[in-house]
Amino acid sequence: MKLNFLSNSCSFPLIGFFTAKKFKTNNSLKNSNVFNLGEVIITNHQNKDTLNRITSKSMESQNKMDVSRALNMLPGVSLTASGPRNESMVSVRGFDLRQVPVYMDGIPVYVPYDGYVDLARFTTFDLAAIDVSKGFSSVLYGPNSLGGAINLVSRKPSKKLEYDGSLGMINENGYRGNVNIGSNLGKFYFQGGFSYLDRNSTRMSSNFVPTVNENGGQRDNSYRTDQKISFKIGWTPNEKSEYAIGYINQQGEKGNPVYAGYDTQNSLLLRPRFWQWPNWDKESFYFISNSAFDDKNSFKTRFVF
């Protein structure tokens, strides 16, 4: 079975005018490496931060290598493995991903088949933060955000040259590696990243009793491979205006572990599914801009090609 997700049409998810009063920014949103143009921030007259944010520092310290695991750190967010495809999803206060859409720098991430995005396919190595709006979300996100919104915010360099990377093992049968490099030259900046995550299988508990379809040890058909390339070029003619072009290429494959239970009423016990997805690919080009007319009015656009 093959899944190919390719964004090759031109859409206009957001074109709008903004009029805002001057408020002091909440401390939880101050981060020099956050790509501010990709944020969607909601403030009220009491100047309270309405976002739940997971920073890159928290994800790294907790060893959260994909978005689904990182979101599980927030209260009110539950991690689930849903459907026959065994995809990693989350529910936000009981709402699933069809009522809590996923965005990348404010750009909607769509899966045409059924609307469910496999969050395990999105690695965290090139992210500056993950913002989650629970219940109350901005109309700037667009439709289908009844239960909130999840926005993956990429990095933006703050120094003339900055880079980081890592390489490591995952148990005894997998490895991970990533590198990020960026440069801020004043009015121009660029940010690029590459990550690779590979795991042959997951290990079963030592107390697991073998069944007809699973003999224990390394779980059968539980492999995964995810590769991601991202690149962004930006221009900031002044302090209040910014224009950026971004590119994201994701290539992944995975296997679906077979049913390992004992329920005789479950049809998967006698007819196990050794499903595999050799292609979980997604490619996106996007343009984001924010043109300030004065201190209170601006014109913001997001285009996906």
Side-chain angles (χ1 to χ4, degrees), residues 148-200:
I150 300 171
N151 190 23
L152 314 180
V153 185
S154 62
R155 296 187 180 194
K156 178 183 175 181
S158 58
K159 301 177 182 179
K160 190 172 182 179
L161 178 63
E162 55 184 53
Y163 55 89
D164 65 74
S166 64
L167 182 66
M169 299 291 295
I170 304 176
N171 296 328
E172 73 278 3
N173 60 359
Y175 62 93
R176 48 156 285 190
N178 72 283
V179 60
N180 297 292
I181 184 171
S183 176
N184 193 319
L185 304 175
K187 290 188 176 182
F188 295 92
Y189 65 86
F190 77 88
Q191 178 72 46
F194 172 81
S195 65
Y196 191 84
L197 179 62
D198 180 82
R199 185 195 65 202
N200 292 331

Side-chain angles (χ1 to χ4, degrees), residues 18-121:
F18 301 87
T19 302
K21 295 183 178 180
K22 292 183 178 180
F23 292 110
K24 294 182 179 179
T25 305
N26 193 291
N27 289 333
S28 67
L29 299 181
K30 289 182 178 179
N31 191 322
S32 58
N33 281 64
V34 170
F35 179 45
N36 302 104
L37 200 58
E39 294 180 298
V40 179
I41 299 176
I42 312 164
T43 56
N44 56 23
H45 293 287
Q46 284 73 40
N47 191 30
K48 292 181 180 179
D49 180 7
T50 62
L51 293 177
N52 290 265
R53 167 163 288 187
I54 309 171
T55 63
S56 59
K57 185 177 180 179
S58 299
M59 290 183 280
E60 184 177 355
S61 64
Q62 296 294 323
N63 198 31
K64 305 298 182 181
M65 293 180 287
D66 62 61
V67 170
S68 62
R69 301 289 179 179
L71 288 171
N72 200 36
M73 294 191 294
L74 291 177
V77 179
S78 302
L79 176 62
T80 61
S82 303
R85 300 197 302 269
N86 194 39
E87 294 179 319
S88 294
M89 304 181 190
V90 295
S91 62
V92 180
R93 292 180 176 175
F95 292 96
D96 64 22
L97 291 182
R98 285 196 285 190
Q99 291 83 40
V100 185
V102 180
Y103 300 83
M104 182 67 200
D105 286 335
I107 303 295
V109 178
Y110 289 124
V111 175
Y113 179 67
D114 58 6
Y116 288 114
V117 179
D118 188 356
L119 294 176
R121 307 277 71 79

Side-chain angles (χ1 to χ4, degrees), residues 211-228:
T211 64
V212 176
N213 302 320
E214 178 58 63
N215 59 3
Q218 300 294 335
R219 190 166 189 184
D220 298 332
N221 207 41
S222 62
Y223 69 91
R224 65 170 293 180
T225 301
D226 290 286
Q227 175 183 292
K228 184 179 181 181

Side-chain angles (χ1 to χ4, degrees), residues 117-286:
V117 179
D118 188 356
L119 294 176
R121 307 277 71 79
F122 294 82
T123 56
T124 60
F125 303 117
D126 64 338
L127 298 181
I130 302 176
D131 293 337
V132 179
S133 299
K134 300 176 183 177
F136 173 66
S137 61
S138 172
V139 295
L140 302 178
Y141 279 120
N144 304 323
S145 56
L146 176 65
I150 300 171
N151 190 23
L152 314 180
V153 185
S154 62
R155 296 187 180 194
K156 178 183 175 181
S158 58
K159 301 177 182 179
K160 190 172 182 179
L161 178 63
E162 55 184 53
Y163 55 89
D164 65 74
S166 64
L167 182 66
M169 299 291 295
I170 304 176
N171 296 328
E172 73 278 3
N173 60 359
Y175 62 93
R176 48 156 285 190
N178 72 283
V179 60
N180 297 292
I181 184 171
S183 176
N184 193 319
L185 304 175
K187 290 188 176 182
F188 295 92
Y189 65 86
F190 77 88
Q191 178 72 46
F194 172 81
S195 65
Y196 191 84
L197 179 62
D198 180 82
R199 185 195 65 202
N200 292 331
S201 61
T202 57
R203 175 172 288 279
M204 303 287 289
S205 170
S206 58
N207 297 323
F208 176 76
V209 179
T211 64
V212 176
N213 302 320
E214 178 58 63
N215 59 3
Q218 300 294 335
R219 190 166 189 184
D220 298 332
N221 207 41
S222 62
Y223 69 91
R224 65 170 293 180
T225 301
D226 290 286
Q227 175 183 292
K228 184 179 181 181
I229 299 173
S230 60
F231 189 80
K232 180 167 65 261
I233 300 175
W235 176 47
T236 53
N238 53 62
E239 293 183 356
K240 298 184 180 296
S241 298
E242 186 173 357
Y243 306 87
I245 297 176
Y247 171 75
I248 301 174
N249 184 298
Q250 295 175 242
Q251 298 182 17
E253 60 177 304
K254 68 170 185 174
N256 189 4
V258 298
Y259 176 68
Y262 306 91
D263 187 3
T264 57
Q265 302 298 317
N266 193 322
S267 61
L268 295 178
L269 181 63
L270 299 178
R271 295 189 298 274
R273 294 174 177 173
F274 290 87
W275 284 4
Q276 297 178 341
W277 283 266
N279 297 88
W280 201 104
D281 301 340
K282 190 177 189 304
E283 185 176 40
S284 301
F285 295 90
Y286 61 91

